Amino acid sequence: MTTVPPLKILMAAGEVSGDMYGGALIRALRAQFPGRELEIRGLGGNAMRAEGAQLLYHTDELGAMGIFEVLSKLRFFRKVLREMTALAAAWRPDVLITLDYYSFNIALAERVRALGVRTVHYISPKVWVWRRGRIKRMAHAFDLLLCIFPFEPALYAGSGLKAVYVGHPLVEQAAQTRAEQPPELPWHGRFRVALLPGSRAGEIRSILPTFLRAARRVEAIKHGNCAFIIPTPTPKMRALVERICARVEGPRHLSVVEGQARHVLAQADAALIASGTATLEACLMNCPALLAYRVSLPTECVARVVTAHAMLRFAGLVNIIAGRLVMPELLQRDFSIYESAVGLLTFLRDTPERRALLSAYAQVRDRLGTPGATARAAQAIAELLASAPSGEK
């Protein structure tokens, strides 16, 4: 009897959202290859580790916020890139799967594909917002691109890169959350507010103090009849959040929980959220939210130059997908204690602004498609692995 060798997968997720998608993708790949062992190594977080991935580096170490913050860690990222490339050369995986985290992952894919390993990128970068000049480089780096929006594959037509629309993985994850028994969360008050200051240490340090002071102001205006919960992505980030909460005077009724972000959003009346995937989760869980974000002044100046010719009008995913401003955005100097508190108070009442946002959420959800994205992604990867390598066609 012939023993089927394990399917060796090198995976790279540099942020919490990519790790979340990676963990679900590993489960879906097991369903595509029943009876075959999967060996997964690479970069990721708790979700991938829970599915058996052996991690060289955790997302807690990889997250960096802003252009200058990334530059300060450039030596570290080069080290990670060398180690991942060396692992690919020595281990000879069947496929490299990179998840979002474009700038690092395309550099990794170029090096690994040069070794003769097939490469897949999950979550197409927003070339329809940024420079379409990226497409040529992507075509040389990836064998397969998994797209989350239906209009994206057409952007790569004629490039030689196979681009497949699979849908957005958050849609199915939100559906799973809604189907679960709601957990008992530490709400103590009539008005429930979720605070999500980000998943990276730098952004939490920059953003959380303002969130806490704004929450304290909301609590005072609501005569203490409020409860605030901060869901954190990892134990390390929870410890950081708790240290900041200990030194910054925030609301009295404040709790910190690990994970459960979508459940917190589903039960909250309103949310204050750092820009990122969590804004889209708020939409999927139908929680009125205010987007707030701040980077250093040097990073802001460089970003203004870089984005000067981009078709970028909004920071939030919900607004980008809607094509208009539906979720309020407080960026840089507009992100203040006062404006954050005013925005939350607006959503804690039955106001025209709250109703308009919830109506817009429904339209955005329609554009995100149906559940099943992860299974479709796994199927596309299985089909790639079953096909002849491009050099043998």
Side-chain angles (χ1 to χ4, degrees):
M1 181 178 177
T2 304
T3 302
V4 179
L7 180 64
K8 297 192 290 186
I9 301 172
L10 187 62
M11 230 170 191
E15 297 183 301
V16 171
S17 58
D19 168 61
M20 179 174 60
Y21 303 147
L25 184 59
I26 292 170
R27 291 193 298 274
L29 285 167
R30 286 202 181 96
Q32 285 290 328
F33 297 94
R36 188 174 182 184
E37 182 185 357
L38 269 60
E39 289 185 8
I40 300 102
R41 301 182 187 179
L43 312 176
N46 293 352
M48 287 171 53
R49 179 178 283 162
E51 295 300 327
Q54 299 177 39
L55 303 181
L56 271 71
Y57 291 93
H58 194 280
T59 53
D60 285 346
E61 303 170 89
L62 298 165
M65 164 192 155
I67 296 167
F68 281 85
E69 292 81 351
V70 170
L71 289 175
S72 70
K73 295 182 68 173
L74 196 55
R75 181 178 295 180
F76 168 73
F77 285 122
R78 285 174 175 166
K79 176 176 178 283
V80 176
L81 186 59
R82 286 195 304 269
E83 291 183 9
M84 285 288 285
T85 305
L87 173 60
W91 189 45
R92 306 301 304 179
D94 295 290
V95 63
L96 165 69
I97 302 175
T98 54
L99 299 115
D100 209 353
Y101 208 56
Y102 173 80
S103 296
F104 177 89
N105 276 334
I106 193 166
L108 175 63
E110 287 170 336
R111 288 158 176 76
V112 173
R113 197 181 191 208
L115 298 172
V117 177
R118 298 193 198 200
T119 56
V120 177
H121 189 66
Y122 190 14
I123 311 295
S124 166
K126 299 175 183 64
V127 298
W128 35 277
V129 173
W130 299 91
R131 303 178 304 276
R132 294 202 179 191
R134 289 178 170 189
I135 293 175
K136 185 176 180 180
R137 185 181 181 190
M138 291 169 63
H140 284 97
F142 302 116
D143 292 291
L144 174 65
L145 179 67
L146 301 172
C147 302
I148 61 175
F149 298 118
F151 58 81
E152 289 179 318
L155 299 173
Y156 301 92
S159 69
L161 174 59
K162 182 178 182 181
V164 177
Y165 168 64
V166 295
H168 205 297
L170 271 183
V171 173
E172 66 201 51
Q173 292 175 11
Q176 291 167 5
T177 299
R178 288 192 296 270
E180 294 169 0
Q181 180 69 26
E184 290 289 335
L185 294 170
W187 298 111
H188 305 288
R190 176 185 170 191
F191 300 102
R192 300 176 171 186
V193 180
L195 303 176
L196 287 84
S199 60
R200 294 172 291 213
E203 62 190 359
I204 291 171
R205 292 190 189 98
S206 172
I207 291 168
L208 181 56
T210 304
F211 275 21
L212 293 173
R213 293 179 178 115
R216 182 172 176 81
R217 181 168 293 190
V218 169
E219 184 180 60
I221 292 171
K222 290 295 185 181
H223 307 291
N225 197 14
C226 294
F228 300 86
I229 292 181
I230 303 174
T232 59
T234 67
K236 187 173 181 179
M237 293 304 108
R238 177 174 185 166
L240 173 61
V241 165
E242 289 175 340
R243 287 197 300 272
I244 295 172
C245 290
R247 66 175 175 79
V248 176
E249 190 173 11
R252 288 184 297 115
H253 297 136
L254 172 69
S255 300
V256 181
V257 300
E258 194 174 315
Q260 305 187 89
R262 285 191 295 275
H263 280 298
V264 172
L265 288 167
Q267 296 180 27
D269 298 306
L272 186 56
I273 302 178
S275 179
T277 304
T279 57
L280 196 54
E281 290 183 297
C283 170
L284 290 166
M285 305 316 296
N286 213 38
C287 177
L290 190 69
L291 180 156
Y293 209 70
R294 179 190 296 124
V295 294
S296 66
L297 181 59
T299 293
E300 179 189 6
C301 293
V302 173
R304 288 183 183 277
V305 173
V306 170
T307 62
H309 302 291
M311 297 179 292
L312 185 66
R313 291 186 291 159
F314 311 113
L317 289 171
V318 171
N319 295 331
I320 291 171
I321 295 167
R324 57 192 177 94
L325 185 68
V326 297
M327 179 183 287
E329 296 186 349
L330 301 178
L331 306 176
Q332 296 303 99
R333 283 159 291 282
D334 291 334
F335 172 30
S336 67
I337 297 169
Y338 174 80
E339 293 295 343
S340 300
V342 168
L344 282 175
L345 289 166
T346 299
F347 288 149
L348 288 176
R349 296 180 291 115
D350 182 21
T351 58
E353 291 85 355
R354 179 187 174 93
R355 291 193 296 270
L357 178 56
L358 292 177
S359 176
Y361 275 178
Q363 297 170 10
V364 170
R365 289 194 294 268
D366 286 343
R367 294 183 183 183
L368 290 174
T370 58
T374 306
R376 292 189 288 268
Q379 182 179 355
I381 293 169
E383 290 172 356
L384 172 71
L385 293 174
S387 65
S390 57
E392 298 177 12
K393 291 182 181 178

Coordinates of all heavy atoms in Angstrom, one line a residue, residues 289 314 318-319 322 324-328 347 353 356-357 360-361 363-364:
A289 N -21.1 52.2 14.1 CA -19.8 52.4 14.6 C -19.2 53.7 14.1 O -19.6 54.2 13.0 CB -18.9 51.2 14.2
F314 N -11.6 57.4 1.2 CA -12.0 57.0 2.5 C -11.0 56.0 3.1 O -10.3 55.3 2.4 CB -13.4 56.3 2.5 CG -14.4 57.0 1.7 CD1 -14.9 56.6 0.6 CD2 -14.9 58.3 2.2 CE1 -15.9 57.2 -0.2 CE2 -15.8 59.0 1.5 CZ -16.3 58.5 0.3
V318 N -15.9 49.8 5.0 CA -17.3 50.0 4.8 C -17.5 51.1 3.8 O -18.3 51.0 2.8 CB -18.1 50.2 6.1 CG1 -19.5 50.6 5.8 CG2 -18.0 49.0 7.0
N319 N -16.8 52.2 4.0 CA -17.0 53.4 3.1 C -16.4 53.1 1.7 O -17.0 53.6 0.7 CB -16.3 54.6 3.7 CG -17.0 55.0 5.0 OD1 -18.2 54.8 5.2 ND2 -16.3 55.6 5.9
A322 N -18.9 50.9 0.0 CA -20.2 51.6 -0.3 C -19.9 52.7 -1.4 O -20.8 53.1 -2.1 CB -20.7 52.3 1.0
R324 N -19.1 55.7 -0.7 CA -19.5 57.0 -0.2 C -19.2 56.9 1.3 O -19.0 55.9 1.9 CB -20.9 57.3 -0.5 CG -21.9 56.3 0.0 CD -23.3 56.5 -0.6 NE -24.2 55.4 -0.2 CZ -25.0 55.5 0.9 NH1 -25.0 56.6 1.6 NH2 -25.9 54.5 1.2
L325 N -19.3 58.1 2.0 CA -19.1 58.1 3.4 C -20.4 57.7 4.1 O -21.3 58.5 4.2 CB -18.6 59.5 3.8 CG -18.3 59.7 5.3 CD1 -17.0 58.9 5.6 CD2 -18.1 61.2 5.7
V326 N -20.4 56.6 4.7 CA -21.5 56.1 5.5 C -21.2 56.0 7.0 O -22.0 56.3 7.8 CB -22.2 54.8 4.9 CG1 -22.7 55.1 3.5 CG2 -21.2 53.7 4.9
M327 N -20.0 55.5 7.2 CA -19.5 55.3 8.6 C -18.6 56.6 8.9 O -17.6 56.8 8.2 CB -18.7 54.1 8.8 CG -18.1 53.9 10.2 SD -17.1 52.4 10.4 CE -18.3 51.1 10.3
P328 N -18.9 57.4 9.9 CA -18.1 58.6 10.2 C -16.6 58.2 10.4 O -16.3 57.2 11.0 CB -18.7 59.1 11.4 CG -20.1 58.6 11.4 CD -20.1 57.2 10.8
F347 N -25.0 57.8 18.1 CA -25.5 56.4 17.8 C -26.1 55.7 19.0 O -26.7 54.6 18.8 CB -24.3 55.6 17.3 CG -23.8 56.0 15.9 CD1 -22.4 55.9 15.6 CD2 -24.7 56.4 15.0 CE1 -22.0 56.2 14.3 CE2 -24.2 56.8 13.7 CZ -22.9 56.7 13.4
E353 N -29.0 59.8 11.9 CA -27.7 59.3 11.5 C -27.6 57.8 11.8 O -27.0 57.1 11.0 CB -26.7 60.0 12.4 CG -26.5 61.5 12.0 CD -27.5 62.4 12.7 OE1 -28.4 61.9 13.5 OE2 -27.4 63.6 12.6
A356 N -29.7 55.9 9.1 CA -29.0 56.0 7.8 C -27.8 55.0 7.7 O -27.6 54.4 6.7 CB -28.5 57.4 7.5
L357 N -27.1 54.9 8.8 CA -25.9 54.0 8.8 C -26.4 52.6 8.7 O -25.8 51.8 7.9 CB -25.1 54.3 10.0 CG -23.8 53.3 10.2 CD1 -22.9 53.4 9.0 CD2 -23.1 53.7 11.5
A360 N -27.4 51.8 5.2 CA -26.2 51.7 4.3 C -25.5 50.3 4.6 O -25.0 49.7 3.7 CB -25.2 52.8 4.6
Y361 N -25.5 49.9 5.8 CA -24.9 48.6 6.2 C -25.5 47.5 5.3 O -24.8 46.6 4.8 CB -25.1 48.3 7.7 CG -24.1 48.8 8.6 CD1 -24.2 48.6 10.0 CD2 -23.0 49.6 8.2 CE1 -23.3 49.1 10.9 CE2 -22.0 50.0 9.1 CZ -22.2 49.8 10.5 OH -21.3 50.3 11.4
Q363 N -26.9 47.6 2.4 CA -26.4 47.7 1.1 C -25.0 47.1 0.9 O -24.6 46.4 0.0 CB -26.4 49.1 0.6 CG -27.8 49.7 0.5 CD -27.8 51.2 0.3 OE1 -26.8 51.8 0.0 NE2 -29.0 51.9 0.5
V364 N -24.1 47.4 1.9 CA -22.7 46.9 1.9 C -22.7 45.4 2.0 O -22.0 44.7 1.3 CB -21.9 47.6 3.0 CG1 -20.5 46.9 3.2 CG2 -21.7 49.0 2.7

